[in-house]
Amino acid sequence: MSDFEKLEKHEEQGSAGETGWDTLGRVGFGEEGRQAVAETVERRTETLRATMDFEKIAETEDPEGYANVVRKGIEAQQRVEAEQAELESSRRRIKELGAHRNEIDDKIIANEVAFSERQHKTIVRVKKFFGIGDKKSKQLQKDHGRLTSEYENLGKERRGLMNREEVIEDALREADPEGPKREFLKKFERSMLPDQKEKLLKFDALSELSTEEYLKLWRQLNPFYVTHVTRQGVRDHSAMIYHSVGVGDFHDGMTAILADGKVLKSPAGATGLDPEVSKEGVAKCLEKWVFNQDEDPPQKSENGDRRTITRIVDTLPINAGMAAADHWGDRRAIHFAQHTVLDDYYGGESENEAFFVFPTDVVASQCLFGGHMHKGLTTAQVKSERKWNDLFVWAEDDKIPVDAGLTFLPKSTRVDPKTGSRYASTENPNGELTVVKDEDKITAFVEFVEGIDGEMSPEELSERALRILGNISGDQKQDLYFELGDFIKYGIGNNLYISDEERAKMTGEDIRKRSIREFLASRQLDLKVAEDTVTAEEYWESYFDEHPEQRPAHIIYYDGDPTRAVNDLLAKNGILEEIGSSLYDRDFEQKMTGRGDSSKRDGGMLGFQDHFVEDTGSNDPRIQAGHEKFNQLAREVIAEHYGLVDK
């Protein structure tokens, strides 16, 4: 019986009455229930680790093949150790030979000096005149020949050893004693079946794995992934007008999530609505959505206030809004993007984005899902109309722990050591941060624009302007390359949305300067860059040292484009084996393959068709549960708050 089957049998037999588990798998009461949770998490984690113990699996299923590959590995390791020993011995001998050659070289030089001095002596010159040989000179010449021969022999031996050393070093660089075993074990890295994923990929067990184990486990899963980007720092970009709130302001999306139990919540859950839809949770939502925004409270009517209450309830964000999806399902879902990071739509700072990544199998096996899906979970819009790349996920208890996924944080970006932002800021007495405008840069840009002679092309203007603005992220720089030049040459003044009356009161110079400043402000190009910076990794590590309880279980520090950083990590760890070029060129046609790809076997929903919710849940009782209760409780809370009568 496999570890998976043992765990499945244990959970089927259960001990619900004894340990306090209810039908949803939650702890019902008491210390016994809490102990049961810990024991179950431990068993799940052990079972997950067992699925990754490919050596044990191979030894069980193919003992002869495993023994053979282990023997070859031992022999290869012994050869490596012998070559390392030879290399060390050779290096010692080369060092000895070098020292010996230096000694011989010194003797040769001394011999030559002695011979030269001997030749200049009077007695030697007289002997030469009479044809008499000088014994001492002959001895010096004989010694010179012997020393020279010894020097050359030492050099020959040294060169031979050095050539051999190079051969050994090349062999050691290419040596991989574990390679054959690693290749042998790959055939035991089988893609999990859907029922295994549903049983084993529990959030609590995944949270217990090390990052190395997590990535190793992922090789048995599909290479597909989902992401959730959060705003941290200054929001300096927006790709969609309907999601442009907060541009230019500071945000604490990542730190807020980490401080709030390290869990992702739905928009309604983040506002305070609990999974049980209690009156207290409804009141928290209304406090944020209605009561705190109410400048003109509704007046009590002698004929009853049902219409007033109904109007308020019907216009709540959870019941109405601009979204194309069912509003209840939308607000109660945690939103993800498939196969890409939507930092351009929902992120914070360029080149300083913080986001979460989960294997698609984890989310699909543990949650209900739906949304704007084209061909299920294997493809998505990653280029055009990226705003429709929106996977709705409904999790049990309305929470997904970030520890059950990977947390990506920027690595080398230079940031303020106090705020973690690329931009400079000031802090008011309440601790609120305000971004500082770079007046020197604004002035320099205005003076540049005012001083152009009109002969420069838009491209030349853009290049000059970008040098003046400086420190712009790569993606933003690419977008601005043509936009800047066109604005300077043709658009100044056209971007001012002011009345004719106000425009008439302004001089042409005032209009130009205001137009330029507003252009810079609309694209966050007027922000001052932080000084005395540290790397983003240094900032986050300092933050986690101060708040150790908030450290995510699986942190990945990255540089460059967020989506490519994810793909590179998966490729490096053998999860994603191939990405077709169309991944970045066309929607719905990208090719992502990995050894754990089960899409041909399990279909576009990866075997989790029963978890799929069509039409974002508008007619699905699994998603609509609690909606009617919410509206009824909302009526009660509204009536009590304003002193109205619901009749």
CSV table of all heavy atoms in Angstrom, one decimal, residues 268 314 316-333 335 392 616 618 624 627:
chain,number,residue,atom,x,y,z
A,268,ALA,N,-14.2,41.1,-0.6
A,268,ALA,CA,-15.2,41.1,0.5
A,268,ALA,C,-14.5,40.7,1.8
A,268,ALA,O,-14.8,41.2,2.9
A,268,ALA,CB,-16.4,40.3,0.2
A,314,ASP,N,-29.1,47.4,-2.8
A,314,ASP,CA,-28.9,47.1,-4.2
A,314,ASP,C,-27.7,47.7,-4.8
A,314,ASP,O,-27.2,47.3,-5.8
A,314,ASP,CB,-30.2,47.5,-5.0
A,314,ASP,CG,-31.3,46.6,-4.7
A,314,ASP,OD1,-31.1,45.5,-4.1
A,314,ASP,OD2,-32.5,46.9,-5.1
A,316,LEU,N,-24.8,48.3,-3.1
A,316,LEU,CA,-23.6,47.9,-2.5
A,316,LEU,C,-22.6,47.3,-3.5
A,316,LEU,O,-23.0,46.7,-4.5
A,316,LEU,CB,-23.8,46.9,-1.4
A,316,LEU,CG,-24.6,47.4,-0.1
A,316,LEU,CD1,-24.9,46.2,0.8
A,316,LEU,CD2,-23.7,48.4,0.6
A,317,PRO,N,-21.3,47.5,-3.3
A,317,PRO,CA,-20.3,46.9,-4.3
A,317,PRO,C,-20.5,45.4,-4.5
A,317,PRO,O,-20.1,44.9,-5.6
A,317,PRO,CB,-19.0,47.2,-3.7
A,317,PRO,CG,-19.2,48.4,-2.8
A,317,PRO,CD,-20.6,48.3,-2.3
A,318,ILE,N,-21.0,44.7,-3.5
A,318,ILE,CA,-21.2,43.3,-3.6
A,318,ILE,C,-22.4,42.9,-4.4
A,318,ILE,O,-22.6,41.7,-4.8
A,318,ILE,CB,-21.2,42.6,-2.2
A,318,ILE,CG1,-20.6,41.2,-2.3
A,318,ILE,CG2,-22.6,42.7,-1.6
A,318,ILE,CD1,-20.2,40.7,-1.0
A,319,ASN,N,-23.2,43.9,-4.7
A,319,ASN,CA,-24.5,43.7,-5.5
A,319,ASN,C,-24.5,44.4,-6.8
A,319,ASN,O,-25.3,44.1,-7.7
A,319,ASN,CB,-25.7,44.1,-4.7
A,319,ASN,CG,-26.0,43.1,-3.5
A,319,ASN,OD1,-25.8,41.9,-3.7
A,319,ASN,ND2,-26.4,43.7,-2.4
A,320,ALA,N,-23.7,45.4,-7.0
A,320,ALA,CA,-23.7,46.2,-8.2
A,320,ALA,C,-22.3,46.8,-8.5
A,320,ALA,O,-21.5,46.9,-7.6
A,320,ALA,CB,-24.7,47.3,-8.1
A,321,GLY,N,-22.1,47.2,-9.7
A,321,GLY,CA,-20.8,47.8,-10.0
A,321,GLY,C,-20.6,47.7,-11.5
A,321,GLY,O,-21.5,47.3,-12.3
A,322,MET,N,-19.4,48.1,-12.0
A,322,MET,CA,-19.0,48.1,-13.4
A,322,MET,C,-18.5,46.8,-13.9
A,322,MET,O,-18.4,46.6,-15.1
A,322,MET,CB,-18.0,49.2,-13.6
A,322,MET,CG,-18.4,50.6,-13.3
A,322,MET,SD,-17.2,51.9,-13.6
A,322,MET,CE,-17.0,51.7,-15.4
A,323,ALA,N,-18.2,45.9,-13.0
A,323,ALA,CA,-17.6,44.6,-13.4
A,323,ALA,C,-18.6,43.8,-14.3
A,323,ALA,O,-19.8,43.9,-14.0
A,323,ALA,CB,-17.2,43.8,-12.2
A,324,ALA,N,-18.1,43.1,-15.3
A,324,ALA,CA,-18.9,42.3,-16.2
A,324,ALA,C,-19.4,41.0,-15.5
A,324,ALA,O,-20.3,40.4,-15.9
A,324,ALA,CB,-18.2,42.0,-17.4
A,325,ALA,N,-18.7,40.6,-14.4
A,325,ALA,CA,-19.0,39.4,-13.8
A,325,ALA,C,-20.1,39.6,-12.7
A,325,ALA,O,-20.5,40.7,-12.4
A,325,ALA,CB,-17.7,38.9,-13.0
A,326,ASP,N,-20.6,38.5,-12.3
A,326,ASP,CA,-21.6,38.5,-11.2
A,326,ASP,C,-20.9,39.1,-10.0
A,326,ASP,O,-19.8,38.8,-9.6
A,326,ASP,CB,-22.0,37.1,-10.9
A,326,ASP,CG,-22.8,37.0,-9.5
A,326,ASP,OD1,-23.9,37.5,-9.5
A,326,ASP,OD2,-22.2,36.4,-8.6
A,327,HIS,N,-21.6,40.2,-9.4
A,327,HIS,CA,-20.9,41.0,-8.4
A,327,HIS,C,-20.6,40.2,-7.1
A,327,HIS,O,-19.6,40.4,-6.5
A,327,HIS,CB,-21.7,42.2,-8.1
A,327,HIS,CG,-22.0,43.0,-9.4
A,327,HIS,ND1,-21.0,43.6,-10.1
A,327,HIS,CD2,-23.1,43.2,-10.1
A,327,HIS,CE1,-21.5,44.2,-11.2
A,327,HIS,NE2,-22.8,44.0,-11.2
A,328,TRP,N,-21.5,39.4,-6.7
A,328,TRP,CA,-21.3,38.6,-5.5
A,328,TRP,C,-20.2,37.6,-5.7
A,328,TRP,O,-19.2,37.5,-4.9
A,328,TRP,CB,-22.6,37.8,-5.1
A,328,TRP,CG,-22.4,36.9,-4.0
A,328,TRP,CD1,-22.2,35.5,-4.0
A,328,TRP,CD2,-22.5,37.2,-2.6
A,328,TRP,NE1,-22.1,35.0,-2.8
A,328,TRP,CE2,-22.3,36.0,-1.9
A,328,TRP,CE3,-22.7,38.4,-1.9
A,328,TRP,CZ2,-22.2,35.9,-0.5
A,328,TRP,CZ3,-22.6,38.3,-0.5
A,328,TRP,CH2,-22.4,37.1,0.2
A,329,GLY,N,-20.2,36.9,-6.8
A,329,GLY,CA,-19.1,36.0,-7.1
A,329,GLY,C,-17.8,36.7,-7.3
A,329,GLY,O,-16.7,36.2,-6.8
A,330,ASP,N,-17.8,37.9,-7.9
A,330,ASP,CA,-16.6,38.7,-8.1
A,330,ASP,C,-16.0,39.1,-6.7
A,330,ASP,O,-14.8,38.9,-6.5
A,330,ASP,CB,-16.9,39.9,-8.9
A,330,ASP,CG,-15.7,40.7,-9.3
A,330,ASP,OD1,-14.7,40.7,-8.5
A,330,ASP,OD2,-15.8,41.4,-10.3
A,331,ARG,N,-16.8,39.6,-5.9
A,331,ARG,CA,-16.3,40.2,-4.6
A,331,ARG,C,-15.9,39.1,-3.6
A,331,ARG,O,-15.1,39.3,-2.7
A,331,ARG,CB,-17.4,41.1,-3.9
A,331,ARG,CG,-17.5,42.4,-4.7
A,331,ARG,CD,-16.5,43.3,-4.2
A,331,ARG,NE,-16.5,44.6,-5.0
A,331,ARG,CZ,-15.8,45.7,-4.7
A,331,ARG,NH1,-15.1,45.7,-3.6
A,331,ARG,NH2,-15.9,46.7,-5.4
A,332,ARG,N,-16.4,37.9,-3.8
A,332,ARG,CA,-16.1,36.8,-2.9
A,332,ARG,C,-15.0,35.9,-3.4
A,332,ARG,O,-14.7,34.9,-2.8
A,332,ARG,CB,-17.4,36.0,-2.6
A,332,ARG,CG,-18.5,36.7,-2.0
A,332,ARG,CD,-19.0,36.4,-0.6
A,332,ARG,NE,-18.0,35.8,0.3
A,332,ARG,CZ,-18.4,35.1,1.4
A,332,ARG,NH1,-19.7,34.9,1.6
A,332,ARG,NH2,-17.5,34.7,2.2
A,333,ALA,N,-14.5,36.2,-4.6
A,333,ALA,CA,-13.4,35.4,-5.2
A,333,ALA,C,-12.1,36.1,-5.0
A,333,ALA,O,-12.0,37.3,-4.9
A,333,ALA,CB,-13.7,35.3,-6.7
A,335,HIS,N,-8.7,36.8,-6.9
A,335,HIS,CA,-8.4,36.9,-8.3
A,335,HIS,C,-6.9,36.6,-8.6
A,335,HIS,O,-6.0,37.1,-8.0
A,335,HIS,CB,-8.8,38.3,-8.8
A,335,HIS,CG,-10.3,38.6,-8.8
A,335,HIS,ND1,-11.0,38.7,-9.9
A,335,HIS,CD2,-11.1,38.8,-7.7
A,335,HIS,CE1,-12.3,38.9,-9.5
A,335,HIS,NE2,-12.4,39.0,-8.2
A,392,PHE,N,-11.1,33.6,-11.4
A,392,PHE,CA,-11.8,33.7,-10.1
A,392,PHE,C,-11.6,32.4,-9.3
A,392,PHE,O,-11.8,31.3,-9.8
A,392,PHE,CB,-13.3,33.9,-10.3
A,392,PHE,CG,-13.8,35.2,-10.9
A,392,PHE,CD1,-13.3,35.6,-12.2
A,392,PHE,CD2,-14.6,36.0,-10.2
A,392,PHE,CE1,-13.7,36.8,-12.7
A,392,PHE,CE2,-15.0,37.2,-10.8
A,392,PHE,CZ,-14.6,37.6,-12.0
A,616,THR,N,-18.9,32.7,-13.7
A,616,THR,CA,-18.5,33.3,-12.5
A,616,THR,C,-19.4,33.1,-11.3
A,616,THR,O,-19.4,33.9,-10.4
A,616,THR,CB,-18.2,34.8,-12.6
A,616,THR,OG1,-19.4,35.5,-12.9
A,616,THR,CG2,-17.2,35.1,-13.8
A,618,SER,N,-22.8,33.1,-11.1
A,618,SER,CA,-24.1,33.8,-11.0
A,618,SER,C,-25.3,32.8,-10.7
A,618,SER,O,-26.3,33.2,-10.1
A,618,SER,CB,-24.4,34.6,-12.2
A,618,SER,OG,-24.4,33.8,-13.4
A,624,GLN,N,-23.2,31.1,-4.8
A,624,GLN,CA,-24.2,32.1,-4.3
A,624,GLN,C,-24.6,31.9,-2.9
A,624,GLN,O,-25.3,32.7,-2.3
A,624,GLN,CB,-25.5,31.9,-5.2
A,624,GLN,CG,-25.3,32.5,-6.6
A,624,GLN,CD,-24.9,34.0,-6.6
A,624,GLN,OE1,-25.6,34.8,-6.0
A,624,GLN,NE2,-23.9,34.3,-7.3
A,627,HIS,N,-25.4,34.7,-0.2
A,627,HIS,CA,-25.8,36.0,-0.8
A,627,HIS,C,-27.1,36.5,-0.2
A,627,HIS,O,-27.2,37.7,0.2
A,627,HIS,CB,-25.9,35.8,-2.3
A,627,HIS,CG,-26.0,37.1,-3.0
A,627,HIS,ND1,-26.1,37.2,-4.4
A,627,HIS,CD2,-25.9,38.4,-2.6
A,627,HIS,CE1,-26.1,38.5,-4.7
A,627,HIS,NE2,-26.0,39.2,-3.6
